Amino acid sequence: MEQLKSIFNGIGEIGFQIAEKIKTGDTGKVEHYNQSGDQQVKLDLVSDQIVEQVLKKVEEVGEIVSEEKREPVRFREGGFKIAYDPLDGSSLIDVNLSVGSIFGIYKGEYRGDRLVGAVYIVYGPRLEMVTAVPGKVLHYRERNGKFEPVGEIKLKEKGKILAPGGTQGKWFPFHKGLIDSLFREGYRLRYSGGMVPDLHQILLKGGGLFSYPATTDKPAGKLRKLFEVFPFGFIFKEAGGEAIDGTTDLLELGVKGYHDTTPCFFGSKYEIERVRKTYLEQKERIKRY
Ligand code: AHM
Ligand code: MG
């Protein structure tokens, strides 16, 4: 879609500006908590302002909302709506691990089935960007101050790595059983605690499974539908993988509030089928009691 090009260009510019701030900015915390109750770091807020300033100038963008904002900010009538996490994993900057920015682009309402595109930026040893539109997920890498295409991302049927999120002591036994059985099959652990690099690794290595399940202390999971889960759900599906909450396609989940969370699983077909089977069996078991 031609109109998305200027949005992708704007997001590319945002990537360069946030990358500069990460290199030199203050990683201290501020006395503010976002809607999800996370203490914000100064860089979260600086990054949020960068996104707002750049997207305000892009004609095609009507409105934005972010993990750091209570409510949407309206720029103009019509146009696309963008929901984003300006700096995901910001608590990892202190220890110099990779972090990212995540964007979902909507036509109409902020709902999974209204997504028309998604983008993420990875701030790692190198600056990278991935854009997705229906049928095409493209990988870019920074070279001489510009994003240059590297190639298309396509998932295989089955991968080799697992990124199992959430505190293990708070996992439900059937979830632990699933993860343990995948490890017994030979999967290897790859979890940094940054959703963007963890999912980027699965996408580039051809497959695997990232999970952030319901836990006994967080029955609705941790990750936010609009700012983290839907954009990656779209990207995984367009790359030939799947994204579910255990049983249901993530993009079919309803949205009640901007900061809603959901359990989530992203992966290639084989691993997601394993998740679905386990979670459906569990649902059946609950029904019987
Ligand atoms: P954030 O938006 O406050 O940075 O939180 C999101 C991050 C994800 O990047 C990551 O997958 C998850 O939180 C890790 O959570 P945990 O520390 O519970 O494993
Ligand atoms: Mg986040």
Side-chain angles (χ1 to χ4, degrees):
M1 217 195 277
E2 212 33 48
Q3 288 165 306
L4 291 187
K5 268 213 180 126
S6 34
I7 297 180
F8 290 167
N9 288 340
I11 293 175
E13 190 185 324
I14 288 165
F16 280 97
Q17 288 194 30
I18 295 181
E20 263 323 291
K21 293 289 177 196
I22 292 173
K23 277 184 207 151
T24 53
D26 184 344
T27 62
K29 297 203 156 127
V30 285
E31 283 310 308
H32 282 283
Y33 291 80
N34 65 19
Q35 283 297 103
S36 308
D38 303 326
Q39 191 172 9
Q40 293 168 313
V41 300
K42 287 178 192 159
L43 278 169
D44 286 320
L45 299 177
V46 170
S47 305
D48 194 44
Q49 281 157 12
I50 290 177
V51 177
E52 185 169 338
Q53 276 157 19
V54 173
L55 292 183
K56 199 195 284 179
K57 290 189 242 138
V58 180
E59 287 293 314
E60 285 78 5
V61 181
E63 183 182 300
I64 59 169
V65 65
S66 82
E67 191 174 301
E68 314 305 333
K69 297 186 192 305
R70 200 176 279 272
E71 299 266 312
V73 176
R74 187 128 198 88
F75 297 145
R76 50 184 73 81
E77 281 309 306
F80 293 97
K81 291 181 174 168
I82 302 189
Y84 63 95
D85 183 351
L87 197 53
D88 184 73
S90 50
S91 64
L92 298 174
I93 294 176
D94 262 353
V95 291
N96 205 13
L97 281 172
S98 298
V99 293
S101 304
I102 311 165
F103 302 83
I105 306 164
Y106 300 80
K107 189 87 201 153
E109 293 165 72
Y110 292 106
R111 266 177 31 189
D113 57 359
R114 297 290 152 88
L115 268 170
V116 293
V119 184
Y120 66 85
I121 310 264
V122 194
Y123 309 99
R126 294 199 278 208
L127 184 60
E128 302 198 355
M129 176 166 78
V130 170
T131 63
V133 291
K136 197 162 248 159
V137 181
L138 287 175
H139 178 204
Y140 296 84
R141 186 171 289 151
E142 191 254 306
R143 231 175 135 220
N144 304 322
K146 282 203 314 220
F147 279 115
E148 290 196 349
V150 181
E152 204 175 328
I153 298 180
K154 284 199 180 114
L155 286 166
K156 298 186 187 124
E157 281 293 304
K158 184 178 187 304
K160 295 185 180 142
I161 56 179
L162 287 190
T167 308
Q168 293 199 24
K170 314 247 182 230
W171 285 355
F172 289 100
F174 67 92
H175 178 79
K176 181 161 172 40
L178 165 71
I179 300 296
D180 287 349
S181 79
L182 287 168
F183 277 128
R184 278 196 304 274
E185 258 180 51
Y187 283 84
R188 292 197 286 166
L189 176 66
R190 293 288 183 273
Y191 190 73
S192 74
M195 182 186 197
V196 175
D198 287 339
L199 286 172
H200 190 54
Q201 179 163 203
I202 291 173
L203 285 164
L204 293 191
K205 303 267 188 206
L209 178 70
F210 174 99
S211 48
Y212 209 106
T215 50
T216 51
D217 58 336
K218 288 180 188 154
K222 171 184 183 188
L223 297 171
R224 280 132 296 216
K225 288 179 182 170
L226 290 187
F227 313 124
E228 292 148 336
V229 172
F230 287 171
F232 272 113
F234 182 86
I235 293 166
F236 267 71
K237 286 178 73 179
E238 299 311 327
E242 283 193 74
I244 61 173
D245 72 346
T247 54
T248 306
D249 186 322
L250 289 171
L251 301 188
E252 284 167 16
L253 298 178
V255 181
K256 290 209 184 90
Y258 298 114
H259 297 266
D260 283 3
T261 61
T262 177
C264 53
F265 300 82
F266 307 88
S268 25
K269 300 245 186 219
Y270 171 80
E271 293 82 2
I272 293 293
E273 202 34 55
R274 293 286 304 274
V275 173
R276 193 179 281 119
K277 189 165 177 286
T278 305
Y279 274 71
L280 280 175
E281 274 169 14
Q282 176 62 16
K283 251 192 182 170
E284 283 304 311
R285 219 170 289 147
I286 292 170
K287 261 199 232 153
R288 279 203 298 274
Y289 288 106

